[in-house]
Amino acid sequence: GAGVSQSPSNKVTEKGKDVELRCDPISGHTALYWYRQSLGQGLEFLIYFQGNSAPDKSGLPSDRFSAERTGGSVSTLTIQRTQQEDSAVYLCASSFGLYNEQFFGPGTRLTVL
Amino acid sequence: GQQLNQSPQSMFIQEGEDVSMNCTSSSIFNTWLWYKQDPGEGPVLLIALYKAGELTSNGRLTAQFGITRKDSFLNISASIPSDVGIYFCAGLSSGNTPLVFGKGTRLSVIA
């Protein structure tokens, strides 16, 4: 049974470039979440998807951030025109239903130079 | 919105000592979860609590769901170096929001 996987594990980019981060949830999990974790900090909720419902985007920090989930499985988090303050670890999690325990991927460490 | 107050923020203990950390909230939760995050990894679920008053153990870890449903604690007995990491509490309510996370307790174990 594979867990949540994320790619790339590390991404270094230049300020102003766009980046895409990928998340493969656990098979059969209907809910998928994105979080951001700055160095030594807690988890900052960004967005979640549940089934075919419209995603809850209430945590996205700016309109440079967007996410999509294709076919109810894989999700991509896109950050446009990256800024240095976007540097963080981006964590993805999935759960079987919205109100159940979440299982996390290993994260993508993004560094914006 | 809902918030969880997790304490302490950090702790330094000697190997072999017991550890206790807790989370409180002004809101009621139906489920409490405890996660551990190792450096460079994603959080891993340690214990899940589903009923008020429930006391659950997982090896040297013990967690309780408070009677008021507004708090939970996690105890680690006889700490070892691999217990080092950040411990997060998280709560689920019957509202429209998913998990709410505490800010974490950073545990350091001195051998």
Side-chain angles (χ1 to χ4, degrees):
Chain A
V4 178
S5 61
Q6 292 185 245
S7 61
S9 54
N10 282 285
K11 176 71 176 178
V12 180
T13 190
E14 293 179 347
K15 178 181 172 181
K17 295 284 179 71
D18 298 351
V19 295
E20 284 190 350
L21 312 179
R22 177 187 168 105
C23 173
D24 282 86
I26 292 173
S27 178
H29 278 191
T30 57
L32 185 148
Y33 316 78
W34 284 98
Y35 296 88
R36 179 168 71 175
Q37 187 176 33
S38 299
L39 187 63
Q41 300 298 311
L43 300 171
E44 176 188 2
F45 165 74
L46 297 177
I47 186 172
Y48 77 79
F49 300 84
Q50 164 57 13
N52 296 321
S53 302
D56 180 341
K57 305 179 182 180
S58 59
L60 294 179
S62 78
D63 58 8
R64 296 186 295 104
F65 288 72
S66 63
E68 62 177 22
R69 188 180 185 191
T70 54
S73 181
V74 172
S75 176
T76 302
L77 177 69
T78 301
I79 308 173
Q80 295 178 310
R81 305 181 302 282
T82 52
Q83 303 294 314
Q84 287 183 329
E85 60 263 29
D86 298 335
S87 297
V89 175
Y90 289 81
L91 291 161
C92 174
S94 70
S95 64
F96 185 69
L98 190 58
Y99 303 113
N100 291 298
E101 51 266 34
Q102 297 176 18
F103 295 87
F104 284 82
T108 293
R109 181 175 298 278
L110 175 66
T111 303
V112 182
L113 301 177
Chain B
Q2 294 174 313
Q3 286 188 331
L4 292 182
N5 300 307
Q6 187 171 351
S7 65
Q9 284 188 329
S10 63
M11 41 194 326
F12 291 82
I13 61 169
Q14 294 278 350
E15 182 178 359
E17 287 184 350
D18 296 344
V19 172
S20 184
M21 59 192 79
N22 70 84
C23 269
T24 62
S25 174
S26 58
S27 303
I28 288 174
F29 290 96
N30 296 323
T31 300
W32 283 92
L33 306 172
W34 285 92
Y35 289 84
K36 183 196 177 198
Q37 186 176 27
D38 291 328
E41 305 287 332
V44 174
L45 183 65
L46 298 174
I47 291 180
L49 302 158
Y50 301 104
K51 287 197 290 191
E54 180 180 356
L55 184 72
T56 296
S57 293
N58 178 7
R60 294 178 296 106
L61 277 59
T62 302
Q64 183 156 31
F65 190 144
I67 288 290
T68 65
R69 294 163 63 194
K70 295 182 179 181
D71 63 319
S72 176
F73 72 75
L74 174 71
N75 287 344
I76 305 172
S77 63
S79 59
I80 59 178
S82 61
D83 290 335
V84 165
I86 304 176
Y87 292 79
F88 292 99
C89 63
L92 267 172
S93 68
S94 58
N96 292 326
T97 54
L99 274 181
V100 177
F101 281 87
K103 294 189 183 299
T105 294
R106 183 179 296 274
L107 177 65
S108 300
V109 178
I110 304 166

